[in-house]
Amino acid sequence: MSAAWLTRSLGEVVAITKGRKPPRLISDSSSDSFPYATAEYFRSGIATQFVPSTDLASCVLTRSGCPVLIWDGSNAGEVFVGKDAVLASTMALIRPDDSVLDEGFCYFFLKTAFDKLNDGTTGSTIPHVSKHMLTALQIPILPLPEQRLISSLLFKLESAIALQAQLSDATAEIKRAAMRELFTRGLRGEPQKETEIGPVPESWQIKAIGHVFEIVQGLSLKGNLSGGSDGVPFLRTSNVYWGRIDLKNVSRMHVAPELIGDRWLRQGDLLVCEGGEIGRAAVWESKEPGYTYQNHLHRLRPLIGGSIEPKFAAAWLEVGFCHRKVYEGAGNKTTIPNLSRARLAELPMPVPAIDEQRDIVAILDAIDRKIELHRKKRTVLEELFKALLHKLMTGEIRVDELDLSALQAPAEPLSPAAEPAV
């Protein structure tokens, strides 16, 4: 923190009031009741319990804008912006002296203190915030106009992050709706027929996965896992998500290349999870050679002479397992459910003409690019927020040194015109 800044202990400039459990909790959200503000309520914005207005005399009320802190539990020290509600017994209200401390500035200061407060909790069974540690925190006392500028900037960044999350979620919902429609009606306006996997266009064939793909299960680790940078990179189920493969944490194993045999990955191979969330599937799109995969993954490669687009099959597996539940109970009935090679091979899937498969993939790829764009924007904004939060709260930079013009531009709404056509 800047040596030039005046600081005071937090206990000198805030009042701390612990929440109390009200006499009654009801599920009725009528005008005569107030939301019961738990940590989940602050995270989701959705109240599930309410307090009758007749019981408010014995309750602790929080108001919009005033910081509240999780006092008890594993997330003790996490801070939220208050809402008009009844505060839960596991929370505490932090009321700044508004003659010296802005509520928003106090909120962001407390965000910087989470690790210290969470690591310093007391209590042998249920951890709770150390009041002594909390009140001893040294908070900079800047001129109120500067505090408000700092909190305004950081609130704008938080809103921008939340917007990107909402846009990503909305686009993901568009994709789910598009997938349900595409795999039921197709793109050619054909009549439908009833099949074992539900209604599909009349010209679509239904084939067992093993009739269109060669299926090869991966290698067993057998203690060959290496923590070093040498060895053969291999993918695990934790690298495979629905529709994408994450290479941020790729394990390596010491194994002779000849033992890998035909388990080297090629561009276009479809990987399907045998364990974990069974059926989760994504296509290996990298041209980089030298990757293999573990035995909890199946590699599907189109049979010679077949007409199947692996990304179409990956999308269908998501529909079949997640949206239409055609594969409910597909896993082997063991202690830990798994999707054996034999069971995977016999699962039915739709096989339209290859050009229609590719057209469907193109539509879904366009939506995926939109989702990824929002994810990337959110990541960039989160990194900027963390950097500014630290630098502004320590005096490394001052708010009047920043060019804030980029934050004044209105966010692009998610309009029907911007959505991919289906």
Side-chain angles (χ1 to χ4, degrees):
M1 192 174 294
S2 171
W5 279 5
L6 170 68
T7 66
R8 292 173 67 177
S9 63
L10 191 68
E12 295 180 78
V13 291
V14 303
I16 302 169
T17 307
K18 186 89 159 37
R20 290 192 295 270
K21 189 169 183 178
R24 289 181 296 160
L25 287 171
I26 60 175
S27 58
D28 178 19
S29 60
S30 69
S31 58
D32 286 334
S33 64
F34 278 67
Y36 184 54
T38 62
E40 186 55 37
Y41 168 63
F42 285 111
R43 290 194 185 100
S44 68
I46 300 171
T48 57
Q49 294 177 301
F50 299 84
V51 179
S53 58
T54 53
D55 293 345
L56 296 184
S58 62
C59 299
V60 173
L61 301 181
T62 181
R63 58 181 173 75
S64 180
C66 194
V68 294
L69 198 73
I70 298 181
W71 197 264
D72 302 310
S74 59
N75 291 312
E78 186 177 358
V79 64
F80 303 97
V81 177
K83 302 179 181 183
D84 294 326
V86 174
L87 197 62
S89 59
T90 57
M91 313 284 290
L93 178 65
I94 312 295
R95 289 178 294 175
D97 177 350
D98 59 14
S99 67
V100 293
L101 189 58
D102 175 65
E103 288 180 338
F105 186 81
C106 180
Y107 160 73
F108 287 112
F109 170 77
L110 288 169
K111 284 183 82 73
T112 68
F114 170 73
D115 288 338
K116 184 173 184 178
L117 294 174
N118 191 258
D119 292 342
T121 54
T122 60
S124 55
T125 51
I126 299 175
H128 55 264
V129 168
S130 163
K131 188 172 183 179
H132 173 75
M133 180 179 289
L134 175 64
T135 56
L137 291 173
Q138 293 296 304
I139 184 169
I141 304 299
L142 307 178
L144 280 170
E146 185 172 358
Q147 291 184 42
R148 291 174 185 135
L149 273 175
I150 289 172
S151 62
S152 175
L153 167 63
L154 294 174
F155 276 128
K156 284 178 181 176
L157 278 172
E158 280 200 330
S159 295
I161 291 166
L163 176 62
Q164 292 306 319
Q166 291 166 9
L167 290 171
S168 178
D169 290 345
T171 312
E173 182 54 43
I174 289 170
K175 181 182 177 182
R176 286 190 286 272
M179 292 171 87
R180 289 191 293 267
E181 186 75 6
L182 289 167
F183 284 97
T184 302
R185 300 186 181 278
L187 288 171
R188 305 296 185 252
E190 296 179 58
Q192 292 173 290
K193 63 181 179 184
E194 280 298 329
T195 72
E196 59 194 298
I197 63 170
V200 298
E202 204 166 59
S203 68
W204 288 22
Q205 300 180 60
I206 305 299
K207 295 185 178 182
I209 288 176
H211 290 173
V212 290
F213 285 104
E214 171 201 43
I215 304 173
V216 177
Q217 195 163 4
L219 289 166
S220 176
L221 304 183
K222 294 183 179 177
N224 291 321
L225 192 62
S226 167
S229 59
D230 57 344
V232 175
F234 75 98
L235 302 186
R236 310 175 76 176
T237 55
S238 57
N239 297 114
V240 178
Y241 293 78
W242 284 115
R244 65 187 179 93
I245 293 174
D246 188 342
L247 297 180
K248 284 198 287 286
N249 295 296
V250 176
S251 302
R252 292 178 177 268
M253 66 186 299
H254 287 298
V255 61
E258 59 269 18
L259 295 179
I260 296 174
D262 64 350
R263 293 182 178 88
W264 296 108
L265 289 174
R266 296 182 200 163
Q267 187 180 27
D269 284 342
L270 173 60
L271 291 169
V272 180
C273 292
E274 180 235 30
E277 187 180 2
I278 64 171
R280 195 168 61 212
V283 174
W284 177 250
E285 298 187 71
S286 173
K287 294 180 180 179
E288 188 176 348
Y291 280 78
T292 186
Y293 55 102
Q294 71 168 155
N295 63 321
H296 294 306
L297 289 168
H298 300 288
R299 187 214 69 209
L300 279 62
R301 188 172 289 167
L303 292 170
I304 296 173
S307 294
I308 191 71
E309 169 57 55
K311 291 187 78 172
F312 174 87
W316 161 252
L317 286 171
E318 183 173 347
V319 171
F321 275 100
C322 298
H323 306 321
R324 279 166 58 175
K325 307 293 184 186
V326 245
Y327 295 150
E328 205 158 23
N332 295 326
K333 306 300 182 185
T334 59
T335 306
I336 302 174
N338 67 89
L339 181 62
S340 68
R341 181 196 175 284
R343 288 289 292 121
L344 176 60
E346 67 186 18
L347 294 180
M349 70 166 289
V351 183
I354 190 68
D355 61 335
E356 188 170 5
Q357 292 181 45
R358 289 170 179 158
D359 288 344
I360 288 172
V361 167
I363 291 170
L364 297 178
D365 278 349
I367 303 175
D368 280 338
R369 287 193 295 272
K370 180 78 170 171
I371 294 170
E372 186 60 22
L373 175 64
H374 292 308
R375 283 178 179 155
K376 286 179 177 178
K377 285 183 177 179
R378 179 180 179 181
T379 299
V380 169
L381 288 167
E382 285 173 340
E383 291 171 355
L384 175 60
F385 175 83
K386 289 175 186 176
L388 283 178
L389 179 64
H390 171 75
K391 292 177 184 294
L392 288 169
M393 287 295 168
T394 58
E396 190 173 334
I397 58 173
R398 301 300 287 265
V399 69
D400 57 5
E401 299 170 357
L402 298 172
D403 177 7
L404 308 180
S405 58
L407 291 176
Q408 308 306 317
E412 178 186 352
L414 184 69
S415 64
E419 296 169 12
V422 175

